[in-house]
Amino acid sequence: MLDPKSELEFFNEENMEEISQLASLEMSGDAAARRKSAAVVPGKSGYPDCVYVMAANIFQGIRIEKPPDKAIIKYGNEPLPSCYQSEDESFQRLSYELAFSALKYQDILETMLIDSYIFPSTTIVNHLGSLIIVMLYDFQDRKFQSRVLSDNEESISEVQEVESLLNSFKTKLAAALARCRIKHDALSIYHILPETVRKQEQRASTLPLYAWINTGKISLEEVYSNLKKKGYNKVKSVLHLEDKAFAVDQHCYDVVIFPAHLKKDLVNIDLFKDYKLIFQDKSRSLAVHSVKALLNMDDDILMVNMGSWYTVAHMSILTNNNTSKIFVCGIQSQDKDPEMKKLFTKMGCQNIEILQETFVSLESKDHRLQNVKVILLLPRCSALGVSNPVEFILNENEDTSLLQDLSQGGPSKSKLEILAQQQYEQLTHAMKFAKAQAIVYCTCSVYAEENENVVMKALESQTQGIKIQPYRLSPPVLPLCSLKDIRLSMDKFFRVEPSDVTNGCFISILTRERDPSETVSVKDVLARAAAKGLLDGVEVGKTGKREKKRKKSKTLLPKAPVNETNDIQVKINEFLNRESKASTNRGEVLTAKTSLPSKTVSQMGASSHVRKTNKQATSPLATTLTKNTRPEERHITLRRTRPEGKTIPLKSVEIVLPPVIFPFSSAQGARSQTPTNHLYYRLGGSKQSSWEDRINYLLVK
């Protein structure tokens, strides 16, 4: 039971001057937390009792411990009993925000409690220490005004006791806060925070909302049209976001951006309720789009350290049209598997398999992962590039201990070294998967120790084998949309600096050449897809009709019957005998008309160039050129001396051309078309007789 002494016992005339300064003191406190709480509880009326209890338990696990000889305030180790609202998402968000705000001001709040003689003058149960800290932060943020309670709110005895204590010491607490402000020469306790934390809060107050479109349930144009009907205007870029507006992200075509103040309205529209639009940090969308750019139709994916289910769902939606399978490991909440699978079903995700093993325990020769070609690695990092740590923790299911580092402006040097070592071990383990061809390494950190240094160290430590090709650093696969993007990617790393419009992000692409001995045929791809159950009702073993006809045409032509071949040859010989005399006469007349030197004609007749020209296959282009040539030039070029009475047999030749690739603008990509007609050599002659056309007709017939 709390036993507060009378506040008047500690009150004297010396405090009057300091307390009078409180009239002009701006108790701004934490701007972000104040704005959030005001949105939920108008007029700064305080939080429900349950939020205080939940925030106290969170603070108990993330608070900064002091050496025993310097610790005046005791926190104990026992958590407070949780209430039934603990599973409510809105209550969880408020509790985390309140706990994180109290953590940032822990030193100042403890100083206020000691300076106001609440500690050690009162007898307080140790396990209520965390509850006093979080309630004191909210008390000063409300400028020490009493909390307004709703009639139907359930009260908690521990909260009522702490609130009574703080109200009885209200004046002393206000005076202690004033002295602390004067000591640091700060307008408010907000200005006492480290500069990195202040900048982080400023960015969080203006950071837009990013949401990706579930193209498995709705098209991009349908989303745009739906938003316009609800009064949202589409603008060119994130820099033009004002009022009810949205923009399409430049790096990810399926990501839309909204102003921060619209979240309360957006969560209530059907697009978000039906999982057609999903809020998520842009860095995660950049990661999955990088993976998508590296995939072939049949490649499987391994996603590591997937804290957020939405990241997995986004990857699944992007590969809906492929036969790819997504393996996921590193899901921390295994007890929520049924809830997670239910969410995937609602979102239309079907190609996901959750692995129970940790990534480090997975063997590279695991039979399930033999077709994994791309590994997405999202290691745990300092996340200093994140503007709103609470949102990041809740959305990515990250460890709450991360808040401790962010509340102090960043991790300590020793903590950073531990994180970098863990990242290095995971990256080198990913390189051991022999079948993988690419690794996407993504963090939200701004430290080179966790980004470039880890990647370069892992590349240098590779052991080159005979068959396994080494990894190398590859340029970004995402579009570089500005000069700043190009400048930040000069060293082949994709970077996004923290700003007022986006969180920080780092992406590295490691690729290696495919094993030359590993060849994959179309039948192998189809068989693999059938084994996954993706080709229901389709018989893979049978050859298509078109393929059968093509093989039949290839085999019939060279293996024609002997009698049929002789008949064709006889017809050709008879035709040549009839036409030889007429052709010779026309050639003599033409030679008499032209004044070309005999030396030139003989050289052309004897040259190998003419012989090669006569053997070239005709094409539409060659036919066109022949038609556009003057008659005199055609006869001179095509005329060839031939011994009289000697017949030259013609042989049919089949020319198989490579597929002709035509560009298509559709999403299906390019298609190859193979000509089915056979081409034959043509024997040159005069246009008037056109006897070569008749020979070709006989050959084809």
Side-chain angles (χ1 to χ4, degrees), residues 333-516:
S333 303
Q334 298 289 349
D335 55 333
K336 295 186 178 181
D337 276 357
E339 181 181 351
M340 178 173 52
K341 293 178 180 178
K342 185 178 180 180
L343 175 64
F344 290 156
T345 302
K346 289 181 179 179
M347 299 181 70
C349 306
Q350 301 177 351
N351 56 343
I352 301 173
E353 181 175 336
I354 306 299
L355 304 178
Q356 302 299 326
E357 302 92 336
T358 61
F359 176 59
V360 180
S361 64
L362 282 176
E363 296 183 1
S364 59
K365 296 182 179 180
D366 193 317
H367 68 280
R368 298 169 297 180
L369 309 177
Q370 293 307 299
N371 193 44
V372 168
K373 302 302 180 184
V374 183
I375 300 176
L376 174 57
L377 186 59
L378 295 170
R380 182 169 175 258
C381 63
S382 62
L384 195 61
V386 176
S387 299
N388 194 330
V390 171
E391 290 286 342
F392 182 76
I393 292 293
L394 294 177
N395 294 337
E396 300 300 323
N397 292 327
E398 287 286 347
D399 189 356
T400 55
S401 62
L402 184 64
L403 295 175
Q404 187 179 101
D405 299 330
L406 297 176
S407 68
Q408 305 301 309
S412 62
K413 184 177 180 180
S414 59
K415 181 70 173 292
L416 192 61
E417 292 176 353
I418 295 174
L419 289 173
Q421 181 62 27
Q422 294 174 352
Q423 295 153 1
Y424 169 76
E425 292 175 356
Q426 289 188 346
L427 183 55
T428 52
H429 186 68
M431 291 179 172
K432 296 178 182 178
F433 289 80
K435 299 293 184 179
Q437 302 298 325
I439 300 174
V440 178
Y441 178 85
C442 177
T443 75
C444 296
S445 175
V446 297
Y447 293 111
E449 290 85 346
E450 297 181 280
N451 297 336
E452 302 95 314
N453 295 0
V454 170
V455 174
M456 299 309 296
K457 181 180 178 182
L459 289 175
E460 293 172 358
S461 64
Q462 293 184 96
T463 55
Q464 298 185 2
I466 300 176
K467 291 186 177 181
I468 300 179
Q469 302 293 324
Y471 278 100
R472 59 170 181 251
L473 189 62
S474 296
V477 293
L478 295 169
L480 303 179
C481 305
S482 64
L483 292 177
K484 186 177 181 180
D485 287 350
I486 297 175
R487 177 178 59 84
L488 293 175
S489 305
M490 292 297 290
D491 53 357
K492 296 185 178 181
F493 297 113
F494 183 86
R495 296 182 182 87
V496 177
E497 293 181 336
S499 66
D500 294 338
V501 296
T502 183
N503 286 326
C505 179
F506 172 87
I507 296 179
S508 176
I509 306 295
L510 305 181
T511 60
R512 63 182 172 192
E513 296 180 359
R514 189 180 295 271
D515 186 356

Side-chain angles (χ1 to χ4, degrees), residues 58-78:
I58 296 172
F59 179 82
Q60 179 72 17
I62 62 177
R63 64 182 176 83
I64 300 174
E65 296 186 9
K66 295 184 177 180
D69 56 334
K70 296 182 180 180
I72 299 177
I73 300 177
K74 307 297 182 181
Y75 290 97
N77 298 318
E78 299 179 7

Side-chain angles (χ1 to χ4, degrees), residues 567-583:
D567 293 340
I568 293 175
Q569 190 65 47
V570 169
K571 291 180 181 180
I572 294 175
N573 293 337
E574 293 176 355
F575 181 81
L576 289 175
N577 290 332
R578 290 198 305 268
E579 297 292 333
S580 60
K581 296 181 179 180
S583 177

